[in-house]
Amino acid sequence: EVQLLESGGGLVQPGGSLRLSCAASGFTFSKYAMNWVRQAPGKGLEWVSTIVSSGVGTYYADSVKGRFTISRDNSKNTVYLEMNSLRADDTAVFYCAREGEGSNIYFKNWGQGTLVTVSP
Amino acid sequence: EIVMTQSPVTLSVSPGERATLSCRASQSVSSNFAWYQHKPGQAPRLLIYGASTRATGVPARFSGSGSGTEFTLTISSLQSEDFAVYYCQQYNDWPLTFGGGTKVEIK
């Protein structure tokens, strides 16, 4: 059974930093791209970032480009999201998600999410 | 950026009735298209990928159709557990984009 467990969320002041982690199990982690998707309070889903299976390719939403960095450690089956220069509009539940089959970036499996609150 | 527009925003349906949800892409996404169900406090759930392929474990009452720019999710006979928010998503091009969601509520 695929499991994705996010951690690292919390309360941070504007301009601060936070690192999210997502520990994966139940599949061959090194074969799949991994993603972060967020949902701000009262809003819809927003794709944030993707890292390919090898880690050499990364993609970002314009809203986080230059502030967030996605990375992975295939030896630890973990994907990370380093978030800097946080703003109030980054407040959201952040979900980790695994890509689908055939290198198609739909989100086949999701974690339960971790809440990030950016507030003074 | 490919903009995904869902309609209606809210759909009021009685249990047992049919629900039809629509999603339009601002440019062709071929069949690189997915639908998700999201309930409060839960992780989103993949329903449909490739525009029309049901994900593992998704009941047959859910069906997806369309290609290019127009897509439809049909729930043939709504069950109580189907009341939720549904999102569409394109994965044809970067950035990946979601629609704004359709809330299916009890009439």
Side-chain angles (χ1 to χ4, degrees):
Chain A
E1 179 193 3
V2 171
Q3 292 195 349
L4 300 170
L5 184 61
E6 303 95 338
S7 61
L11 176 64
V12 61
Q13 293 189 338
S17 299
L18 212 54
R19 187 175 87 153
L20 306 183
S21 300
C22 171
S25 60
F27 64 100
T28 306
F29 181 76
S30 61
K31 290 188 175 181
Y32 292 92
M34 296 297 295
N35 309 271
W36 289 96
V37 176
R38 68 183 179 182
Q39 184 178 38
K43 303 294 185 182
L45 299 174
E46 179 190 18
W47 167 75
V48 173
S49 184
T50 297
I51 186 166
V52 302
S53 57
S54 65
V56 296
T58 58
Y59 302 85
Y60 297 94
D62 284 347
S63 58
V64 306
K65 201 172 293 182
R67 300 188 300 123
F68 290 10
T69 302
I70 192 171
S71 62
R72 65 191 293 161
D73 185 336
N74 285 347
S75 69
K76 295 183 177 179
N77 290 356
T78 301
V79 60
Y80 305 96
L81 187 68
E82 185 77 36
M83 304 185 294
N84 298 316
S85 303
L86 282 161
R87 312 184 302 222
D89 63 358
D90 292 316
T91 295
V93 175
F94 282 74
Y95 296 99
C96 169
R98 199 202 86 172
E99 73 166 329
E101 304 298 335
S103 298
N104 289 304
I105 310 295
Y106 57 88
F107 309 113
K108 184 175 182 181
N109 305 97
W110 298 69
Q112 287 298 313
T114 187
L115 176 62
V116 172
T117 303
V118 184
S119 179
Chain B
E1 171 177 321
I2 299 175
V3 177
M4 308 299 288
T5 303
Q6 291 187 242
S7 61
V9 173
T10 304
L11 187 60
S12 298
V13 186
S14 299
E17 288 188 341
R18 182 186 192 92
T20 302
L21 289 66
S22 297
C23 183
R24 172 177 291 177
S26 60
Q27 62 190 75
S28 177
V29 299
S30 186
S31 294
N32 298 314
F33 179 90
W35 289 100
Y36 303 86
Q37 179 191 67
H38 195 197
K39 298 179 181 179
Q42 297 187 18
R45 175 193 183 193
L46 174 68
L47 296 176
I48 302 285
Y49 63 95
S52 61
T53 302
R54 271 190 304 276
T56 304
V58 174
R61 64 181 181 272
F62 291 90
S63 63
S65 63
S67 67
T69 62
E70 300 283 345
F71 300 88
T72 300
L73 175 70
T74 302
I75 312 171
S76 59
S77 177
L78 270 156
Q79 306 298 303
S80 58
E81 61 266 30
D82 300 336
F83 293 96
V85 179
Y86 293 82
Y87 294 94
C88 61
Q89 179 234 338
Q90 67 80 19
Y91 50 96
N92 192 66
D93 200 5
W94 304 98
L96 308 178
T97 48
F98 288 93
T102 291
K103 182 179 181 180
V104 177
E105 63 177 25
I106 300 174
K107 187 174 182 179

